[in-house]
């Protein structure tokens, strides 16, 4: 009866067993995403358990981990850091999990040698500080030179895209993404970049449009093309304008009165439309539905009316055309209208879309993705999103480093040096940290079917030289000069990977007991 | 036993449905209770001290918490056993009262019970044990007061305070940047402290966290940070010299609480009602405008029309701000919370030097900073970190540090940490025990032995030989008459805690001993546990 103080189904694991459970869970997650790392990484098919068993094909670590139902608490920590990496910098979601997993793998070996987890943590902390300062010393910054900076950006985008489905056309898409991000003029507001996916055509048919494309149809009988448009962006009910005062209801005593009220209602709508017309507009975009009656009125007045644009669409449209989102129409003179040179209906594939070109604020743009299937398009969108995020982060923090395992090798070398200088057990942990860092280029090689042991040792030798720029070139399968090959990565991403992976590893290492509460009973037995 | 006989010899039942209840009585009850309490304290034992380990807890819904904080561990692990629940309560009351030492109190209580069990085995009555413990705890508290020293600090030299907070933080995962966090905590407490009255209202310190960024990016904002954004995307994101109207009434048509019906039976009424409605919205916005406010913060939602009107008249607004946050904003800006538009007057507006919206990461995360407030006595500690669990744990750690700083400002008596106080008290109790005649003497000796549990656990967690270390330190304390000697957890080379700068507040320590003794007494007094069987 050894004091069972928990509920019946609760689980308690202690000491070594808890640590084992945590390590195994974390490494299982690492092994899962490991094979997607690098330019030759493989994709995963994810099938949802919900209705329809919809399928996602992806290479994006965060997407894979997000869709997993993980029970192991340590594994959940890794899923969490990957998610945060996605939210914060957008790329490196696989790397962060792999690095954390490798750190734990090394830690497990040390624990087998009877080294206390706290000692390992102390060593890791020393190592991470050292790695960070080593990386910071070697960053390059081309902020001042816009020509070079653009080239940096293209290189970064190409590196990011090379591991994704877009790698075939990476140059094309890298330029596309860089153009889009540079249009933002440093604001880093990715909302202004709209991605529209349309099935059909090939990936190469994708294009960047300088205007704004709204995936909606123009009302019947209204002009399909407008020059010098004045746009009113609105969020108002255009069905029947209900009275919002609480408790109002219609109570009549004769049919005739119903008719009267109906007429009054209609009249009211008409008045509303007239008020809207009084703004002197020729295009009206509403977030909510526009019923037939007002639509007809708009058609009569020769105004383009677009209904049911979703909230994001409305916000973006307001952003790009410079208008304000209106909900009342009493003072037409003071409402700011949006402007654009031309609005027309265009066809992409088989779908009709509304195209706003020559918009006032040049920041916004739309990327139209074309591709053979929805899965392909979804993956392409994710890849592009990654690239855009990285670029936006780089525009803010323009420091870049070389890619292809170069930063890892550089950090590993400095960490190794530190290990040699450190007395005590901690030095073993510091050394392990270096080994974990070197595991990343070796996984990249393995995934590409190259001899990782050979290549990584070559790299290591090359990095003995202080200013080496050597990294793995997976395409040619040899060690090469990263600068010449243009394999660049954003410093911010690398730093975030390093820090969050260490943080997560430390968190898991500190655990010596896992208590799982009894799962909440669900009624439907799911 | 549940069957009794009345004066006519008829049987009657005292506890109904006897078969369905399980019942433990007498010494067995005490033993079972002690076992349960020990199980709880054993879980926490390894979390004690700077080298203590963390616990990973998975809730019923699968959420993972990783923590080192005793109160949180106990709260999250959903203890089912009744005595276990008592221990949870114990740790919680230490948390509410002092905010720190939540692990220590449970470990002490566990050790006291463990030693009590041995006495029970010898046939000593539990009440006598409890009384002996009570006497011992009195001596212990007296000793603590004797060895305590005054702690000197002032507003300009808060370095000693920072040192204390660092001690608290060193046992947590945030130990990596304990210096920064300790400074933030101390500055925050000093900002809101009322040094005249020696009181700190911790409600004025808001701890807000956001996933992403690094722990080093954690900052102290002299103002309020709210996890909200402007109600309309096109409202200005940067307002200087803001005059803030703080409202608890929605920008919506009125909803009288009494039931009513508005009947529409003619066209005129229909139109009149519409006019009324329009006017109502207009009035609301106009009233805010009239009193000169430049920012509206509202607890409730806005109607689309009202939202546009606000935007249109150049009045930025924030909606759905929580009640607690609203109060903080009111305190910070010196404004008044206004429940009705009619009651809005210029005097009731809050003032802030700068209100700005700040966005984070790649997702649409925005937060509102209200800074340079009229009344600077409200601050926010804004925590960043790699993942959600990290932030939650940092929040808890910072809370502990804040509590410690507050306690020092309230009462600047301290005792030294690292188990030194426990050892000193143990020695004093041991010595006093010899002078007490009767069975209580045994109980007091047991108390003294139990106190060794804390330094023992500290030594064990730090990878030292527990018995060797403890006896060595104890002997040294007696020889040198120096109550500051403790366990050298961080392997610094000295075990004088004054040199190591490890100390704890006197109230915290006192509270720990008193609470633990109380709970132990309570558990010892239980001699009958009745539970419904069907569970």
């Amino acid at each position: 009866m050894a004091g069972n103080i928990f509920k019946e189904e609760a689980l308690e694991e202690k000491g070594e067993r808890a640590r084992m459970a945590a390590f195994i869970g974390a490494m299982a997650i690492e092994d899962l995403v490991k094979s997607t790392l690098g330019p030759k990484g493989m994709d995963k098919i994810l099938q949802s358990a919900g209705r329809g068993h919809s399928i996602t094909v992806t290479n994006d670590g965060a997407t894979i981990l997000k869709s997993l139902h993980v029970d192991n608490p340590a594994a959940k920590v890794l899923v969490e850091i990957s998610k945060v990496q996605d939210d914060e910098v957008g790329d490196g979601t696989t790397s962060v999990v792999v690095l954390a997993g490798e750190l734990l793998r090394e830690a497990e070996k040390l624990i087998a040698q009877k080294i206390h987890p706290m000692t390992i943590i102390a060593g890791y902390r020393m190592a991470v500080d050292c790695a960070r300062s080593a990386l910071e010393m070697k960053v390059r910054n081309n902020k001042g030179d816009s020509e070079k900076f653009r080239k940096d950006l293209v290189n970064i985008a190409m590196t990011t895209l090379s591991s994704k489905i877009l790698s075939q056309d990476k140059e094309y898409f890298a330029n596309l993404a860089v153009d889009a991000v540079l249009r933002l003029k440093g604001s880093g507001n990715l909302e202004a970049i709209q991605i529209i996916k349309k099935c059909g055509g090939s990936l190469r048919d994708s294009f960047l449009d300088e205007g704004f494309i709204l995936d909606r149809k123009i009302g019947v009988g209204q002009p399909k093309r407008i020059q010098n448009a004045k746009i009113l962006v609105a969020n108002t009910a255009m069905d029947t304008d209900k009275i919002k005062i609480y408790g109002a209801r219609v109570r009549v005593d004769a049919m005739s009165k119903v008719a009267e009220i109906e007429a009054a209602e209609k009249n009211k709508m008409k008045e509303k439309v007239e008020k809207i017309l009084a703004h002197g507009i020729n295009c009206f975009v509403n977030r909510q539905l526009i019923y037939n009656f007002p639509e007809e009125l708009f058609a009569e007045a020769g105004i383009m009316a677009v209904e049911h644009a979703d909230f994001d669409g409305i916000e973006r449209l307001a952003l790009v055309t410079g208008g304000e989102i209106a909900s009342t129409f009493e003072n037409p003179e003071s409402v700011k209208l949006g402007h654009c040179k031309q609005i027309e209906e265009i066809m992409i594939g088989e779908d009709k879309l509304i195209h706003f070109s020559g918009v006032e604020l040049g920041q916004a743009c739309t990327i139209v993705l074309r591709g053979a299937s929805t899965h392909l398009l979804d993956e392409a969108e994710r890849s592009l999103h990654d690239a855009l995020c990285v670029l936006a982060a780089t525009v803010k923090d323009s420091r870049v480093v070389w890619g292809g395992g170069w930063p890892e090798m550089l950090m590993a070398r400095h960490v190794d040096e530190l290990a040699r200088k450190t007395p005590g057990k901690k030095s073993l942990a510091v050394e392990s940290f270096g080994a974990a860092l070197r595991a990343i280029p070796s996984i990249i090689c393995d995934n590409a079917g190259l001899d990782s042991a050979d290549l990584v040792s070559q790299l290591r030798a090359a990095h003995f030289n202080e200013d080496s720029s050597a990294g793995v070139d997976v395409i040619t399968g040899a060690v090469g000069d990263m600068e010449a090959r243009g394999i660049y990565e954003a410093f911010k991403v690398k730093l975030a990977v390093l820090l969050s992976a260490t943080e997560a590893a430390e968190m898991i290492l500190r655990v010596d007991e896992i208590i799982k509460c009894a799962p909440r009973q669900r009624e439907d037995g799911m | 036993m549940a069957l009794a006989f009345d004066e006519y010899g008829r049987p009657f039942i005292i506890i109904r449905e006897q078969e369905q209840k399980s019942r433990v009585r007498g010494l067995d009850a005490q033993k079972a209770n002690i076992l349960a309490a020990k199980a709880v304290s054993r879980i926490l034992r390894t979390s004690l001290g700077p080298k203590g380990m963390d616990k990973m807890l998975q809730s019923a819904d699968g959420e993972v918490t990783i923590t080192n904080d005793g109160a949180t561990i106990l709260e999250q692990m959903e203890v089912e056993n009744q005595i276990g629940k008592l221990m949870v309560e114990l740790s919680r009351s230490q948390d509410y009262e002092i905010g720190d030492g939540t692990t220590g109190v449970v470990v002490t209580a566990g050790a006291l019970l463990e030693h009590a069990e041995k006495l029970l085995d010898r046939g000593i009555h539990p009440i006598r044990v409890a009384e002996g413990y009570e006497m011992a705890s009195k001596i212990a508290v007296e000793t603590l007061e004797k060895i305590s020293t005054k702690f000197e600090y002032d507003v300009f030299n808060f370095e000693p305070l920072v040192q204390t907070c660092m001690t608290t933080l060193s046992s947590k995962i945030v130990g990596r940047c304990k210096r920064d966090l300790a400074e933030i905590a101390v500055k925050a407490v000093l900002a809101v402290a009322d040094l005249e009255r020696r009181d700190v209202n911790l409600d004025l310190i808001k701890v807000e966290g956001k996933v992403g960024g690094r722990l080093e990016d954690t900052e102290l904002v002299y103002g309020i940070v709210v996890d909200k954004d402007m109600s309309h995307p096109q409202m200005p994101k940067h307002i200087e010299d803001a005059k803030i109207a703080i409202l608890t009434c929605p920008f919506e048509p009125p909803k009288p609480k009494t039931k009513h019906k508005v009947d529409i039976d003619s066209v005129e009424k229909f139109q009149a009602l519409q006019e009324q409605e329009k006017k109502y919205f207009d009035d609301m916005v106009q009233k805010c405008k009239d009193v000169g406010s430049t920012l509206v913060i509202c607890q409730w939602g806005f109607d689309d029309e009202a939202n546009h009107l606000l935007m249109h008249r150049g009045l930025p607004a924030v909606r759905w701000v929580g009640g607690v946050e609203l109060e903080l904003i009111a305190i910070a800006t010196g404004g008044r919370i206004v429940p009705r538009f009619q009651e809005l007057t210029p005097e009731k507006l809050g003032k802030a030097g700068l209100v700005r919206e700040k966005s984070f990461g790649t997702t649409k995360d925005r937060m509102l900073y209200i800074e340079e407030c009229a009344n600077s006595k409200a601050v926010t500690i804004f925590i960043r970190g790699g993942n959600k669990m990290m932030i939650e744990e940092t929040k808890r750690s910072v809370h502990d540090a804040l509590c410690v700083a507050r306690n020092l400002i309230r009462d600047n008596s301290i005792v030294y940490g690292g188990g030194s106080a426990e050892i000193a008290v143990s020695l004093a109790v041991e010595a006093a025990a010899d002078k007490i005649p009767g069975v209580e003497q045994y109980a007091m000796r047991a108390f003294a032995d139990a106190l060794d549990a804390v330094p023992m656990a500290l030594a064990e967690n730090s990878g030292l030989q527990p018995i060797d270390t403890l006896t060595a330190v104890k002997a040294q304390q007696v020889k040198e008459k120096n109550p500051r000697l403790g366990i050298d957890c961080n392997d610094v080379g000295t075990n004088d805690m004054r040199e190591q700068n490890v100390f704890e507040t006197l109230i915290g320590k006192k509270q720990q001993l008193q609470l633990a003794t109380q709970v132990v007494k309570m558990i010892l007094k239980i001699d009958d546990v009745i539970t419904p069987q069907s569970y």
Side-chain angles (χ1 to χ4, degrees), chain A residues 57-320:
Chain A
V57 183
T58 183
N59 180 299
D60 182 43
T63 314
I64 298 172
L65 293 177
K66 244 183 262 175
S67 357
L68 288 178
H69 292 283
V70 186
D71 192 41
N72 187 301
K76 277 193 180 145
V77 176
L78 289 195
V79 173
E80 176 80 15
I81 57 166
S82 158
K83 225 184 274 175
V84 173
Q85 180 84 8
D86 194 29
D87 289 347
E88 194 62 17
V89 283
D91 194 26
T93 51
T94 314
S95 316
V96 69
V97 174
V98 172
L99 184 58
E102 285 303 322
L103 284 173
L104 288 172
R105 201 180 292 267
E106 292 295 328
E108 194 192 11
K109 285 182 207 155
L110 292 177
I111 284 175
Q113 293 171 32
K114 297 268 178 285
I115 290 176
H116 196 267
M118 285 296 168
T119 317
I120 303 179
I121 288 171
Y124 278 7
R125 281 187 182 171
M126 280 171 70
V128 81
D129 283 340
C130 163
R132 191 174 156 184
S133 56
L135 198 61
E136 266 166 4
M137 263 160 50
K138 291 282 177 184
V139 293
R140 297 143 39 82
N141 196 337
N142 278 334
K143 186 89 185 166
D145 190 341
S146 64
E147 189 107 330
K148 267 194 189 151
F149 185 52
R150 195 195 142 87
K151 217 178 135 229
D152 278 0
L153 285 179
V154 174
N155 279 333
I156 289 175
M158 267 168 39
T159 313
T160 306
L161 291 173
S162 66
S163 62
K164 304 283 154 89
I165 201 158
L166 299 175
S167 62
Q168 290 304 315
D169 306 306
K170 64 179 176 189
E171 225 177 308
Y172 182 73
F173 279 101
N175 279 314
L176 203 85
V178 171
D179 283 342
V181 169
L182 283 181
R183 286 179 72 86
L184 298 178
K185 303 198 179 76
S187 77
N189 183 4
L190 289 181
E191 283 164 50
I193 301 176
Q194 193 193 18
I195 299 181
I196 288 183
K197 298 173 284 186
K198 284 283 163 215
C199 267
S202 75
L203 277 174
R204 269 211 165 264
D205 294 335
S206 308
F207 61 92
L208 176 81
D209 194 280
E210 304 205 337
F212 179 80
I213 293 178
L214 195 64
D215 195 356
R216 287 283 173 267
K217 288 194 184 73
I218 296 173
V220 180
Q222 292 164 352
K224 301 280 183 241
R225 170 193 283 260
I226 292 176
Q227 302 282 353
N228 289 329
K230 291 195 205 72
I231 309 160
L232 180 66
V233 187
N235 174 16
T236 184
M238 289 302 277
D239 35 8
T240 47
D241 216 357
K242 286 173 225 90
I243 292 178
K244 288 169 192 156
I245 290 174
Y246 188 68
R249 62 169 182 182
V250 179
R251 176 176 278 179
V252 289
D253 42 21
M255 273 309 281
S256 58
K257 288 205 169 154
V258 178
E260 272 173 33
I261 288 179
E262 203 189 334
E265 228 172 45
K266 222 171 182 176
N267 221 9
K268 188 180 168 228
M269 182 47 72
K270 200 167 175 184
E271 269 172 32
K272 192 168 183 178
V273 172
E274 268 159 20
K275 270 184 207 146
I276 292 169
L277 294 182
H279 289 73
I281 52 162
N282 46 22
C283 176
F284 176 74
V285 183
N286 192 16
R287 185 172 87 83
Q288 298 174 23
L289 286 173
I290 303 178
Y291 269 25
N292 287 347
F293 177 61
E295 188 180 329
E296 193 189 311
L297 291 176
F298 281 123
E300 261 172 42
I303 285 180
M304 181 190 285
V306 182
E307 64 166 0
H308 215 227
D310 54 74
F311 206 83
D312 281 349
I314 280 287
E315 265 184 37
R316 278 206 196 99
L317 193 63
L319 195 72
V320 298

